[in-house]
Amino acid sequence: MAAEVITGADIVINSIDLSTVCKAFTLKKSYDVKQKQAFQDAAIFQSVGLATVTLDCDWYGDFAASGLNATVDPLAGTSTTYACKKDSGATATDNPQYAGNVIIADWTAFAVEVGEYHEFSTSWVGDGDWTRTTA
């Protein structure tokens, strides 16, 4: 499989496409690893526990009427929907969509510096698992 340069990723928060103000995102799932050992065991036994979904985003600040701030600021402290794909084309086997809910537990209204773009990062924890669709 060939390497791919991603230039048109798609990210939607609460049904609003925010792709034009997102410069990077990482959607990941990690699992707790549980250990068990008894006095007579010769090694530690491990099992996979529950999963945690995390959506990390790097944003350009946007104060348009239906932009980033207007979309996310009212959602701070709540759970909302997300959907993301590697490009804005149709959902397909080579462009799967991942969707679910995240808790907006951290939100930056301003992160400004004179003469620079308004940029900041968020890290939102999943509220349940994601779904992966290919059609």
Side-chain angles (χ1 to χ4, degrees):
M1 173 177 236
E4 195 171 356
V5 174
I6 305 297
T7 60
D10 194 40
I11 184 161
V12 175
I13 303 294
N14 198 37
S15 301
I16 305 294
D17 187 345
L18 296 173
S19 303
T20 61
V21 293
C22 185
K23 78 177 201 177
F25 65 82
T26 302
L27 178 64
K28 69 179 181 179
K29 186 186 302 188
S30 55
Y31 292 88
D32 289 336
V33 175
K34 301 297 180 182
Q35 295 184 351
K36 179 188 88 68
Q37 64 191 61
F39 290 115
Q40 299 301 315
D41 290 340
I44 296 172
F45 293 88
Q46 300 187 66
S47 299
V48 175
L50 298 174
T52 299
V53 172
T54 307
L55 177 61
D56 298 325
C57 299
D58 294 334
W59 302 102
Y60 290 110
D62 172 26
F63 291 91
S66 62
L68 177 64
N69 188 276
T71 298
V72 179
D73 192 71
L75 298 170
T78 69
S79 178
T80 193
T81 60
Y82 71 88
C84 51
K85 299 185 289 185
K86 71 173 180 77
D87 67 55
S88 59
T91 300
T93 55
D94 63 344
N95 190 28
Q97 176 178 281
Y98 290 82
N101 291 302
V102 288
I103 296 173
I104 310 295
D106 79 81
W107 172 242
T108 302
F110 292 103
V112 295
E113 184 178 338
V114 67
E116 299 295 331
Y117 280 109
H118 174 204
E119 297 181 60
F120 60 95
S121 299
T122 57
S123 182
W124 298 330
V125 66
D127 187 9
D129 204 352
W130 65 45
T131 57
R132 180 182 187 270
T133 55
T134 58

